[in-house]
Amino acid sequence: MKIYTNKNNTGTLKLLIAANLAAKKVEIVEAEFEDDVFAGPRQLPLLEVDPELRFFSSNAAVQYLFPILDMSENGQCQQLQEWEATRLQPSLSAALGKSPASDVKQVLKSSLEHVNGLLEGHQYVLGDKISAADISIWSTLYPLTHNDDLREQYLKELGNIRRWSDAIGGAKSVQEAVRQWGGSPTGPFGQISALGLPQVANLVSPAGSPDDEAEVQEGPTPEEIEAAKEGWLNGLSKLQPPLKQEKIVLPVKGRKNVLITSALPYVNNVPHLGNIIGCVLSADIFARYCRLCDYNTLYICGTDEYGTATETKALEEGVTPKQICDKYFEIHNNVYRWFNIGFDYFGRTSTEEQAEITQRLFLKLNENGFVSSQTVDQLFCEKCDRFLADRFVEGTCPHPGCGYEGARGDQCDKCGRLVNAPELLQPRCKVCAHPPVLKPSEQLFIELGQLEPSLRSWMSRWEHLWSGPARAVGRAWLREPLRARALTRDLRWGVPVPLDGYRHKVFYVWFDAPIGYMSITQCATKQYEAWWKPDKEYDVSLYQFMAKDNVPFHVVMFPATVLGVNEGHLLVKHLFATEYLNYEEGKFSKSRGVGVFGNDAQDTGIPSDVWRFYLASIRPETSDSSFSWTELGTRNNSELLNNLGNFCHRSLSFCSNAFKGLVPEPNPRRSDYELMALVNREIAAYVQNMEKGRLREALRHVLSISRLGNQHMQSEQPWVLLKGSEDDKQRGATAIGLCCQLVALLCALLAPYVPDTTRKLRGQLNVDAEKLRLNPENPRLLRYLPPGHVIGKPEPLFVKIEQERLEELRARYAGTQSQRADKKNSKTIDTAELEKAIGEQGDAVRKLKSTTKDKSVWQPEVEKLLELKKRLTEAQKQAETRPAANQAAGDVASLEKAIAEQGDAVRKLKSTTKDKSVWQPEVEKLLELKKRLTEAQKQAETRPATNQAAGDVASLEKAIAEQGDKVRKLKASTKDKAVWQPEVNVLLDLKKRLQALQVKK
């Protein structure tokens, strides 16, 4: 066997170690990329077993030389080798270059931390036996592990890697391989491909594609090259005619009709980034992809508005449930508009259409015999004259060892355990604090047990099309027999039950919310049954997107309802659920206000496309993932700016400068068709992953196309060729023409992810959106730009996000929303400094605007300017109120009155909710007033004793009597110490002051 290699190529070290461990003899033959030894892609090292068998992939060669069976789960050894080749090796190569950027180092450090984690508690990366993955990763890391400076820089805190590296390096067979290799850990290192250094890999899941059948692939086959040639020459003619976009979208005969829903967001808060990527953004990306493929697509969503949480929120804010829904509907709508969520219709569930369809389905379900009645004991507030939903009851947690006095009727926030409302100790009504009593209440139930056989049959038929999290949740629910579930409850805000004896009740929100998909479709089209009860001649498929906590309602409750109605309604075929997105080191929380929310993203000044791209790239498809400010910057700077943006701008700029914008007609050679074949692989993988709802993985393949383009540009060096012979000039023109076609392809594939950016890029390409379409049946690179095409003016697509800016944002969005608001309100702002900063920022904006018309370049600076102006306005308002505040500070009587009023406000809030984020800002105001009272009292003590009111014993005795009555009434109404203790403290303070005056007398 022969190993063809150039000098100091760490890939060769892999092969030598594998051969020595397997006791196989190999011959080393020096080679260059120009040598005639390549029957496939020009990559080194090349293992030649015999004239008929060659390996162009070093990892495939390692597996051949070291034939240890991969017994790891899901072929993890091969996946790790793929990760090493496509991510670890490129990031290491870039970091070893001259003056690597900080974001490149960050990518490498992230990869190293992953390897260190794999070695935690294990001798080798996959357990206690050495594998081909160890050989590949060890050889690639050789320049780090055997260079003292780099070892100190990158591996100082990664003890597992150091221990593992030293152990493998101490083996005699490995030491012999290093001797045979003869390379140096200090470089320079030999290239692995004629296309040049690979681009820095994107930070996606280290195990690679979740597709269990994924394999490490070699260079393009002759069949792939021929297919690439055919697609290049004739692919455009095989695109189906573009679909005419109608104002009202209805199914079209002879077309693939796709109905897309995202889980209806609840209207009790602003959506955070986890909500956005879990539902609406994922569905939007998929809907845009469907339109790219000319599928007839309807994407609908809306706000989920009924239920206890809405009534609770309305109570907290002192408004009606309808007012709460109106308020948060607009908030959600505005957030989604800013994120460019392209709904065909965004509706709501508090509509007449919702009530009509829900009641009709219920009556049919009842008629078919799947509804029963049961009497259940519920807590009833005699003072409010109403049954109390779980969240309207609070009391002491019944679980041993807890005893939390603010537990809700469904869950204890302190111990986290579920609670049955009747089991609460010392329960009280959340509205009036009156203790409720148990009373029987008759409710309607859906008999899920009777529907279970049909449900199981349906699920077994379609669950293979669902995402992993959706399958797991669905199967977990069916491990035990299903039981009857309550359909109705004693609330006032909801869809009324259309049945005598129950008309004063409403449907549970779990029952009516999924029906909202139908009612919203009706609002959008006026013919919802065309989609939800389609004619058999129409090809209609339902795709649903959600986070995993919503899965039970979409794979058990709603399908059971539809099966029980039995009128041929559409059931979901493709259900794409995600795991959870965490925030930095903790969790996103709407109730506590933790994380970055939709309006926060808008306020950062970072374009919505950057947020869309980043969220898609960390979409938790197979496991939980985490939002990180550092990683947000890295992805923007490394992947968008340095990879995608750099390739697009370079390609179009060369075309503009060298050919005055006229795209040169390529004259492809075999190496060009090889590149097209590799690109086609990525396009095919993009389509495959998109169709399966793997949006993050699909994005990875788009970035791979951009990297291939960058490598091709770097390898061909058209700037040199255009100065050479006629043949060189033709090659240079071909390189530029092909790169421009790749830019057009990227513009098409990126459109679902970054719509604003691709709109700008289409303008620079001077091409309409309908020209950049995709054939999902035969996905290939097409000649999107026809002969003689002239592009527009190239402009940069992205701007760098500086680390300082990221640190500023991390600090700004630390803590909860209420803590941020308090921090912002407590700042004393220097107006002079702000005016100076506004002047400087204004100059910066004017200079940028004078150099470019590209809004993406100067818009972030404009946002900074607007933020400064906003802060100046706040500072000026503070300055205006300070004199009045200082005057009030000296008025003891006024402050005592203000404290009493603020105390009442705090007590009322605390009696209605235990959500600290609601009442904490008011508590802070109360504490500030008390602080100012203390200061005023100190001032009063230093003044001449002219103010008789402060020392009026009679006034204090009267105040003590009134405060005592107040305390007694509070204690009689509730045992909650948190409610009356502040008033007791006020009473004690009054008595203390009276005593002090009496002593002075």
Side-chain angles (χ1 to χ4, degrees):
M1 290 185 286
K2 296 180 180 179
I3 299 176
Y4 293 91
T5 180
N6 47 2
K7 292 182 179 179
N8 224 30
N9 187 328
T10 54
T12 306
L13 186 54
K14 299 180 190 178
L15 273 61
L16 291 171
I17 293 173
N20 284 354
L21 287 173
K24 294 178 180 178
K25 293 184 179 181
V26 292
E27 175 188 354
I28 299 176
V29 180
E30 284 197 19
E32 300 296 337
F33 294 114
E34 293 77 17
D35 294 347
D36 190 22
V37 295
F38 301 96
R42 295 180 177 272
Q43 294 178 190
L44 291 173
L46 183 155
L47 176 66
E48 183 182 83
V49 179
D50 56 50
E52 301 299 324
L53 179 58
R54 292 182 175 187
F55 290 91
F56 304 98
S57 161
S58 59
N59 284 336
V62 168
Q63 290 175 350
Y64 175 82
L65 291 168
F66 189 61
I68 300 298
L69 291 178
D70 181 9
M71 301 301 291
S72 60
E73 185 179 356
N74 297 326
Q76 197 174 2
C77 180
Q78 286 191 347
Q79 291 190 27
L80 275 174
Q81 284 190 291
E82 181 184 14
W83 172 78
E84 176 275 328
T86 59
R87 297 170 188 139
L88 178 62
Q89 202 280 331
S91 62
L92 180 63
S93 297
L96 294 178
K98 293 182 179 179
S99 303
S102 59
D103 50 6
V104 170
K105 294 180 180 179
Q106 177 61 33
V107 174
L108 176 58
K109 288 178 180 178
S110 176
S111 297
L112 293 172
E113 288 170 0
H114 174 65
V115 175
N116 199 65
L118 290 174
L119 291 166
E120 185 69 37
H122 300 291
Q123 186 175 357
Y124 299 104
V125 293
L126 292 177
D128 297 324
K129 291 184 179 181
I130 193 168
S131 67
D134 289 283
I135 297 172
S136 297
I137 296 173
W138 190 91
S139 301
T140 294
L141 293 183
Y142 185 83
L144 290 188
T145 57
H146 289 76
N147 181 310
D148 291 341
D149 293 337
L150 295 176
R151 186 180 174 106
E152 175 70 16
Q153 179 181 352
Y154 288 98
L155 304 178
K156 183 178 180 180
E157 298 179 1
L158 303 180
N160 294 333
I161 292 182
R162 297 199 309 273
R163 180 257 307 159
W164 163 81
S165 172
D166 293 343
I168 291 179
K172 289 184 179 180
S173 55
V174 175
Q175 292 175 349
E176 175 61 20
V178 172
R179 186 194 65 76
Q180 292 173 290
W181 179 55
S184 167
T186 59
F189 298 96
Q191 290 185 185
I192 62 173
S193 171
L195 294 176
L197 284 176
Q199 296 294 302
V200 176
N202 55 313
L203 294 168
V204 294
S205 57
S209 169
D211 191 345
D212 291 343
E213 289 78 35
E215 297 180 358
V216 178
Q217 295 181 320
E218 299 179 2
T221 64
E223 291 78 12
E224 287 177 308
I225 294 172
E226 190 59 34
K229 187 175 182 180
E230 167 64 21
W232 174 256
L233 297 175
N234 303 310
L236 269 180
S237 63
K238 296 181 181 179
L239 277 177
Q240 62 178 340
L243 187 68
K244 183 181 178 182
Q245 295 298 319
E246 302 290 349
K247 187 174 181 180
I248 295 179
V249 183
L250 293 171
V252 176
K253 192 179 295 186
R255 288 277 192 168
K256 181 174 181 179
N257 298 284
V258 176
L259 175 59
I260 301 170
T261 72
S262 52
L264 307 182
Y266 208 78
V267 288
N268 64 338
N269 209 327
V270 182
H272 59 61
L273 298 184
N275 305 138
I276 290 169
I277 185 56
C279 304
V280 294
L281 178 54
S282 291
D284 179 63
I285 291 171
F286 184 74
R288 290 176 184 272
Y289 161 77
C290 290
R291 296 183 186 111
L292 183 69
C293 297
D294 281 317
Y295 299 158
N296 185 44
T297 305
L298 178 67
Y299 173 28
I300 56 101
C301 186
T303 45
D304 178 6
E305 302 191 349
Y306 287 134
T308 313
T310 304
E311 285 199 39
T312 305
K313 191 70 174 178
L315 182 66
E316 291 171 1
E317 298 193 13
V319 297
T320 66
K322 179 66 165 60
Q323 288 172 318
I324 277 289
C325 293
D326 291 344
K327 171 185 173 181
Y328 282 101
F329 172 81
E330 287 304 322
I331 289 173
H332 278 258
N333 203 12
N334 291 335
V335 167
Y336 301 145
R337 275 204 201 104
W338 186 80
F339 271 93
N340 267 318
I341 308 299
F343 303 114
D344 288 292
Y345 190 87
F346 185 70
R348 49 201 306 185
T349 58
S350 58
T351 62
E352 292 180 5
E353 290 85 353
Q354 172 75 2
E356 179 186 343
I357 297 173
T358 301
Q359 291 172 344
R360 187 192 312 155
L361 292 179
F362 162 75
L363 291 173
K364 188 64 179 178
L365 193 67
N366 184 46
E367 180 185 322
N368 290 348
F370 296 112
V371 176
S372 63
S373 64
Q374 296 182 31
T375 299
V376 295
D377 288 334
Q378 287 185 245
L379 290 173
F380 182 84
C381 180
E382 295 174 320
K383 188 172 182 180
C384 296
D385 192 27
R386 64 185 291 183
F387 283 100
L388 300 179
D390 295 344
R391 293 193 182 187
F392 277 86
V393 186
E394 292 179 341
T396 302
C397 178
H399 292 294
C402 182
Y404 178 55
E405 295 181 355
R408 299 195 311 266
D410 57 351
Q411 187 174 13
C412 175
D413 286 338
K414 183 177 180 182
C415 68
R417 283 177 283 187
L418 298 178
V419 174
N420 289 322
E423 296 175 359
L424 283 171
L425 306 178
Q426 298 176 333
R428 60 184 178 273
C429 172
K430 188 169 182 176
V431 178
C432 68
H434 192 78
V437 296
L438 271 178
K439 287 184 67 174
S441 176
E442 191 169 329
Q443 304 291 351
L444 297 174
F445 285 70
I446 180 173
E447 292 294 338
L448 292 177
Q450 296 179 30
L451 294 162
E452 186 174 339
S454 298
L455 189 67
R456 287 182 180 275
S457 176
W458 165 76
M459 190 181 293
S460 65
R461 181 181 179 189
W462 296 111
E463 67 172 359
H464 70 283
L465 298 177
W466 302 352
S467 68
R471 279 196 304 272
V473 173
R475 290 172 181 175
W477 268 76
L478 292 184
R479 283 178 190 150
E480 296 183 4
L482 295 176
R483 300 176 181 177
R485 186 179 179 91
L487 279 170
T488 59
R489 65 191 320 188
D490 295 291
L491 279 179
R492 298 170 183 172
W493 180 246
V495 175
V497 179
L499 204 63
D500 290 341
Y502 301 90
R503 296 185 186 275
H504 60 291
K505 302 177 187 290
V506 299
F507 288 111
Y508 248 110
V509 71
W510 69 259
F511 176 73
D512 90 272
I515 298 172
Y517 299 130
M518 296 183 186
S519 70
I520 292 170
T521 306
Q522 175 66 13
C523 293
T525 67
K526 308 305 179 187
Q527 302 179 52
Y528 87 96
E529 289 189 346
W531 282 99
W532 288 94
K533 294 172 69 175
D535 190 287
K536 292 182 179 179
E537 296 180 359
Y538 290 83
D539 175 16
V540 179
S541 294
L542 173 60
Y543 291 74
Q544 296 191 305
F545 289 80
M546 67 203 67
K548 66 179 180 182
D549 56 344
N550 259 313
V551 170
F553 307 105
H554 291 77
V555 303
V556 177
M557 319 303 179
F558 184 51
T561 300
V562 172
L563 290 167
V565 169
N566 194 27
E567 288 188 343
H569 286 90
L570 193 65
L571 283 167
V572 65
K573 289 183 181 178
H574 307 268
L575 197 150
F576 302 138
T578 62
E579 300 286 350
Y580 295 131
L581 178 68
N582 297 319
Y583 179 66
E584 294 281 344
E585 299 302 323
K587 291 184 176 181
F588 278 95
S589 172
K590 281 206 300 184
S591 61
R592 293 185 294 116
V594 175
V596 180
F597 289 72
N599 53 342
D600 296 332
Q602 187 172 358
D603 292 341
T604 62
I606 297 173
S608 60
D609 271 4
V610 175
W611 287 103
R612 288 175 61 106
F613 176 88
Y614 174 59
L615 291 173
S617 69
I618 60 169
R619 184 173 182 259
E621 293 180 352
T622 55
S623 61
D624 291 356
S625 61
S626 293
F627 170 92
S628 160
W629 287 105
T630 299
E631 192 179 4
L632 169 65
T634 298
R635 300 229 183 210
N636 178 82
N637 299 340
S638 175
E639 297 174 357
L640 288 178
L641 182 62
N642 293 343
N643 182 4
L644 283 166
N646 177 59
F647 173 66
C648 293
H649 191 248
R650 285 179 75 193
S651 301
L652 298 186
S653 293
F654 272 123
C655 179
S656 180
N657 296 332
F659 298 93
K660 297 183 179 180
L662 179 66
V663 178
E665 182 65 14
N667 183 19
R669 299 175 300 158
R670 179 180 175 82
S671 60
D672 297 314
Y673 285 123
E674 287 180 359
L675 172 64
M676 293 181 201
L678 293 175
V679 167
N680 286 345
R681 275 187 188 173
E682 303 298 338
I683 303 172
Y686 168 89
V687 169
Q688 181 185 35
N689 281 293
M690 276 292 203
E691 296 284 344
K692 294 180 179 180
R694 297 170 180 169
L695 313 181
R696 184 192 68 198
E697 289 299 313
L699 181 57
R700 179 168 70 89
H701 293 286
V702 180
L703 296 172
S704 295
I705 293 173
S706 181
R707 281 194 294 275
L708 286 170
N710 269 315
Q711 292 169 17
H712 184 69
M713 175 80 75
Q714 200 65 29
S715 174
E716 291 294 296
Q717 297 186 336
W719 57 91
V720 175
L721 292 173
L722 292 175
K723 298 176 183 177
S725 64
E726 288 302 316
D727 184 58
D728 288 342
K729 290 178 180 178
Q730 178 59 49
R731 283 178 56 200
T734 295
I736 292 172
L738 185 53
C739 285
C740 287
Q741 297 287 354
L742 288 176
V743 171
L745 170 67
L746 287 169
C747 189
L749 301 183
L750 282 169
Y753 296 94
V754 285
D756 277 347
T757 301
T758 51
R759 193 176 300 116
K760 295 173 189 173
L761 188 53
R762 285 198 301 270
Q764 296 177 28
L765 285 165
N766 189 26
V767 65
D768 295 332
E770 68 173 28
K771 301 293 184 184
L772 301 180
R773 295 180 292 126
L774 199 61
N775 182 356
E777 301 298 324
N778 193 6
R780 294 177 185 174
L781 172 63
L782 309 177
R783 298 172 72 180
Y784 289 110
L785 307 178
H789 183 79
V790 178
I791 65 170
K793 182 183 178 182
E795 297 278 1
L797 294 171
F798 307 102
V799 294
K800 186 175 183 180
I801 303 177
E802 299 294 343
Q803 187 62 35
E804 296 79 10
R805 175 67 173 156
L806 295 168
E807 293 301 328
E808 176 192 331
L809 292 171
R810 178 185 284 110
R812 184 195 298 182
Y813 296 109
T816 66
Q817 287 175 314
S818 60
Q819 289 170 343
R820 297 172 206 160
D822 295 342
K823 185 177 178 182
K824 183 176 181 181
N825 294 334
S826 66
K827 288 182 180 177
T828 300
I829 309 170
D830 190 323
T831 55
E833 288 183 5
L834 281 172
E835 287 170 345
K836 180 181 177 183
I838 287 170
E840 293 173 350
Q841 186 65 18
D843 290 339
V845 168
R846 283 187 289 275
K847 287 179 182 177
L848 272 176
K849 285 190 172 183
S850 67
T851 58
T852 178
K853 292 183 179 180
D854 186 355
K855 190 176 180 181
S856 66
V857 174
W858 46 258
Q859 185 61 38
E861 300 304 317
V862 171
E863 297 291 342
K864 291 179 186 177
L865 179 61
L866 294 174
E867 176 64 21
L868 287 169
K869 289 182 176 180
K870 185 177 178 181
R871 290 171 59 193
L872 176 61
T873 302
E874 293 171 357
Q876 291 169 336
K877 287 180 181 178
Q878 286 182 13
E880 290 172 1
T881 57
R882 272 181 215 132
N886 293 335
Q887 183 179 357
D891 190 339
V892 174
S894 298
L895 283 170
E896 287 174 338
K897 181 180 179 182
I899 287 170
E901 292 173 349
Q902 185 65 18
D904 287 339
V906 167
R907 282 187 292 279
K908 288 179 182 176
L909 275 175
K910 284 191 171 182
S911 70
T912 61
T913 177
K914 290 297 178 181
D915 187 350
K916 192 175 180 181
S917 66
V918 174
W919 47 257
Q920 185 61 38
E922 299 304 314
V923 172
E924 296 294 339
K925 290 179 185 178
L926 179 61
L927 294 174
E928 176 63 24
L929 286 169
K930 289 182 177 180
K931 183 179 177 182
R932 286 167 56 192
L933 176 61
T934 302
E935 293 172 355
Q937 289 169 335
K938 288 180 181 178
Q939 291 177 10
E941 289 173 1
T942 61
R943 295 189 199 120
T946 58
N947 190 346
Q948 296 300 316
D952 191 334
V953 174
S955 297
L956 279 173
E957 287 175 337
K958 181 181 179 181
I960 287 170
E962 292 173 349
Q963 186 66 18
D965 288 340
K966 193 173 187 178
V967 167
R968 283 187 289 277
K969 288 178 182 178
L970 276 174
K971 284 190 171 183
S973 66
T974 177
K975 293 183 179 181
D976 188 351
K977 192 175 181 181
V979 174
W980 47 256
Q981 185 61 49
E983 295 305 317
V984 172
N985 293 339
V986 172
L987 178 61
L988 294 174
D989 184 66
L990 287 169
K991 289 181 176 179
K992 186 177 179 182
R993 287 170 57 195
L994 176 61
Q995 185 180 10
L997 282 174
Q998 291 171 334
V999 169
K1000 286 181 182 180
K1001 284 193 172 186

